[in-house]
Amino acid sequence: MEPPSRTGFADEIDPAGLLAGASEHITMKRPVRILFGAVVIVVVILGVALARVPLFKSRQVTAPRVRDLPVNASRFAEVLSRAVRLNTISSEDPIPPHGSALLGLHALYRESFPLVHAKLRREVINGYSLLYTWQGANPSLPPVILMGHQDVVPIDDPGAWSEPPFGGRIVKGFVWGRGTLDDKIAVLGVLQGAETLLAKGYRPQRTIYFAFGHDEEISGEHGARAIARELKRRGVRAAFVLDEGGAITKDVVGGLKRPLAVVGIAEKGYVSLELSVKMEGGHSSMPPGETAVGAISAAVSRLEQHPFPAHVDGVSRQMLEYIGPEMSFAKRVALANLWLTGPVVARELASEPATNAGLRTTTAPTVISGGVKDNVLPKTASAIVNFRILPGDTISSVKDRVISTIDDRRVQVRVLPFGSEPSAVSDTNSPGFRAIQKTIAQVFPDALVAPSLVLGATDSRHFKNVSSQIYRFLPVTLTEKDLARIHGSDERIAVSDCPHVAQFYAQLIRNACSN
Ligand SMILES: [Zn+2]
């Protein structure tokens, strides 16, 4: 069948000739057929794209709101305030300078949560970390592990705080201070949640462990890692682990009217590579064509010019599958058809550093050095480049790509210590993820839920031999401004938000451990 056209003479019309004012009658059947073919293809693609939209179903769940877990907001906020006043900044020193503050925290837990301390087994690991065991009625069920850390990061700029960082003041409806969000609220939330359940006479079927490290901010080596090793030695294999990592974000993701609870199902790896060049030194009055400083700068520049590829697959794709159906029609069409729109969506997401980091292994030159005097050519120059590794890449694949990108045999590349591989990706169809999602729906009914990739490292990475299902979520609501308070200044939590943290953990225990 010939293509229909308004004139009926489409095959004989030569648009190029008309435009050129040519009077000659030239037949150009082939280009028109190609044009027609292209139109058909576009129509088919659009049809398929639109047909996929109704199949792009919401993955949100609804469940009855929790109303039977009373937590006294001002009393709980007061406990948090006292915890903040105990300065537990992590330090690399072998004997923590804030050991007595950590012991002070332990005393605060004992005083504030008497039922927990009467009914649960409590063990101290390496002096300051804590492992609580809440024995389930059915020991054959795999246990659940709830995590939190008791240490905090130092204060960069005390002058930037509106309230003293270790004052624990309760002002204008907020508890202010270091650790209110990261992560003392999690430890206290777990303990308060358990206390509330115990007061109701609740008994879990499944055993629950609380694992509270004391050195998360400096690697978790003596805290979480030691606890995980002890659990592994005892043969514990957990159904799932929940640590900090994600949160409920408000006005952070464009195009979503509701708050978004992001549950980390994986976390990025970490490696720093040192690049170094050795060359002839000498006097700067007779420089060679290229110096050590020039060669190292060129190497760093090549790495920045050739970033790792961005992919909208893996965890980022799963996240879009949860968020997409909740967006406007145009965005739904785009996100339901990543087979078609993937490159455009990737380009859009890669244009912002925060979303870019979720799509690729990132390259961040952080240190560069070489030279000691303005008139001497240095014999060596070096740089350190920090990479946050996407699941799928490894420390060794990052190193290989760096060497081939630099493509300069004079540049030596060395892996610096304290790297970590990216985590495995946990399942969104597991009972653990489903219990977390249901609990969010019950305690934060406004929030949408989506799996996510955690960009930093958490203590949970030490638990990879104890469970294959590791999730990262702190049940607090954060605006974009609040995100900067974590490790920044004016860290705080609303007094009215405190009870929800405890209610979340209590309800999660009921959802995950009652059978
Ligand atoms: Zn933390």
Side-chain angles (χ1 to χ4, degrees):
M1 204 180 79
E2 287 294 325
S5 72
R6 240 179 253 167
T7 62
F9 298 108
D11 278 10
E12 273 71 45
I13 294 169
D14 168 22
L18 287 175
L19 281 172
S23 56
E24 251 181 308
H25 188 92
I26 306 163
T27 56
M28 287 289 287
K29 289 195 170 184
R30 199 186 281 163
V32 175
R33 283 218 181 95
I34 291 172
L35 183 65
F36 175 72
V39 169
V40 169
I41 290 169
V42 168
V43 168
V44 168
I45 288 175
L46 275 176
V48 171
L50 289 173
R52 286 176 62 92
V53 177
L55 306 175
F56 196 38
K57 290 231 162 64
S58 174
R59 291 165 189 248
Q60 303 305 312
V61 300
T62 50
R65 197 173 178 160
V66 171
R67 299 190 189 276
D68 63 339
L69 294 169
V71 175
N72 183 317
S74 54
R75 196 192 151 273
F76 186 39
E78 185 57 40
V79 178
L80 176 60
S81 152
R82 288 175 64 190
V84 168
R85 276 178 257 159
L86 293 157
N87 171 345
T88 54
I89 291 178
S90 256
S91 154
E92 307 281 350
D93 297 345
I95 297 169
H98 299 290
S100 62
L102 285 162
L103 297 179
L105 268 185
H106 297 182
L108 176 66
Y109 304 153
R110 227 179 279 118
E111 180 194 324
S112 310
F113 310 110
L115 295 175
V116 168
H117 288 82
K119 307 264 179 178
L120 273 63
R121 179 173 169 209
R122 174 185 173 277
E123 293 165 90
V124 180
I125 310 266
N126 280 339
Y128 306 103
S129 284
L130 294 173
L131 174 64
Y132 290 84
T133 308
W134 191 352
Q135 190 60 52
N138 184 349
S140 69
L141 293 172
V144 162
I145 301 173
L146 303 179
M147 296 178 64
H149 65 86
Q150 310 175 81
D151 60 321
V152 296
V153 287
I155 309 300
D156 265 354
D157 180 4
W161 286 71
S162 314
E163 298 293 338
F166 294 104
R169 292 189 62 190
I170 302 178
V171 178
K172 293 184 198 150
F174 292 90
V175 187
W176 298 73
R178 181 60 87 223
T180 47
L181 294 171
D182 182 13
D183 187 37
K184 285 178 175 169
I185 187 63
V187 173
L188 296 177
V190 168
L191 292 171
Q192 178 64 62
E195 187 79 8
T196 307
L197 288 177
L198 286 165
K200 292 170 70 75
Y202 177 78
R203 178 142 192 232
Q205 288 295 308
R206 205 180 281 274
T207 295
I208 307 152
Y209 294 100
F210 305 155
F212 303 143
H214 70 275
D215 60 349
E216 191 271 350
E217 301 293 0
I218 49 166
S219 80
E221 208 53 28
H222 302 287
R225 184 149 181 257
I227 298 173
R229 218 182 295 133
E230 177 57 23
L231 290 174
K232 167 101 177 119
R233 194 190 64 76
R234 295 179 193 175
V236 170
R237 189 77 196 158
F240 72 92
V241 173
L242 178 66
D243 195 9
E244 60 172 346
I248 302 166
T249 58
K250 224 177 177 172
D251 309 322
V252 172
V253 179
L256 282 183
K257 289 194 186 77
R258 292 166 62 184
L260 178 67
V262 288
V263 179
I265 57 169
E267 67 188 49
K268 288 182 106 176
Y270 182 108
V271 69
S272 288
L273 298 181
E274 183 194 63
L275 320 178
S276 60
V277 178
K278 280 200 178 88
M279 288 175 105
E280 284 293 306
H283 201 278
S284 65
S285 59
M286 293 177 296
E290 193 178 22
T291 60
V293 167
I296 208 75
S297 309
V300 170
S301 173
R302 271 198 290 280
L303 293 178
E304 280 194 331
Q305 302 292 318
H306 298 93
F308 282 70
H311 318 264
V312 185
D313 54 18
V315 178
S316 59
R317 190 177 188 118
Q318 289 195 65
M319 185 179 195
L320 295 175
E321 284 168 356
Y322 275 73
I323 295 174
E326 314 307 322
M327 295 189 132
S328 66
F329 182 73
K331 284 187 174 155
R332 267 202 327 270
V333 174
L335 294 176
N337 292 283
L338 288 172
W339 58 278
L340 178 67
T341 58
V344 181
V345 172
R347 210 174 316 130
E348 180 70 24
L349 293 173
S351 64
E352 287 289 329
T355 37
N356 177 53
L359 303 185
R360 54 159 52 102
T361 294
T362 50
T363 303
T366 47
V367 179
I368 190 155
S369 55
V372 285
K373 200 164 181 299
D374 72 319
N375 62 355
V376 176
L377 295 171
K379 285 187 173 152
T380 61
S382 64
I384 296 174
V385 186
N386 180 246
F387 298 87
R388 301 303 177 102
I389 311 167
L390 199 67
D393 288 334
T394 62
I395 291 175
S396 133
S397 73
V398 168
K399 184 184 176 195
D400 290 348
R401 189 177 186 279
V402 162
I403 291 170
S404 73
T405 304
I406 293 175
D407 194 21
D408 182 342
R409 287 166 73 180
R410 297 167 305 177
V411 178
Q412 299 297 307
V413 177
R414 185 169 76 92
V415 176
L416 295 180
F418 307 116
S420 62
E421 298 288 357
S423 74
V425 178
S426 302
D427 205 337
T428 51
N429 288 315
S430 69
F433 188 88
R434 283 203 295 270
I436 292 166
Q437 182 172 13
K438 181 180 173 191
T439 308
I440 293 169
Q442 290 181 285
V443 180
F444 306 96
D446 287 347
L448 299 165
V449 174
S452 74
L453 177 65
V454 174
L455 305 179
T458 70
D459 257 350
S460 71
R461 71 188 186 285
H462 299 300
F463 282 70
K464 63 174 190 235
N465 295 325
V466 177
S467 180
S468 60
Q469 302 301 326
I470 296 179
Y471 302 100
R472 302 151 188 91
F473 175 71
L474 177 68
V476 296
T477 304
L478 305 173
T479 61
E480 194 145 23
K481 251 188 172 170
D482 294 331
L483 291 171
R485 299 176 195 275
I486 295 172
H487 291 210
S489 50
D490 277 352
E491 189 177 342
R492 65 179 197 184
I493 185 170
V495 171
S496 57
D497 282 351
C498 291
H500 303 313
V501 180
Q503 286 157 343
F504 171 85
Y505 289 114
Q507 183 61 17
L508 178 65
I509 288 170
R510 286 201 298 205
N511 284 339
C513 305
S514 297
N515 50 48

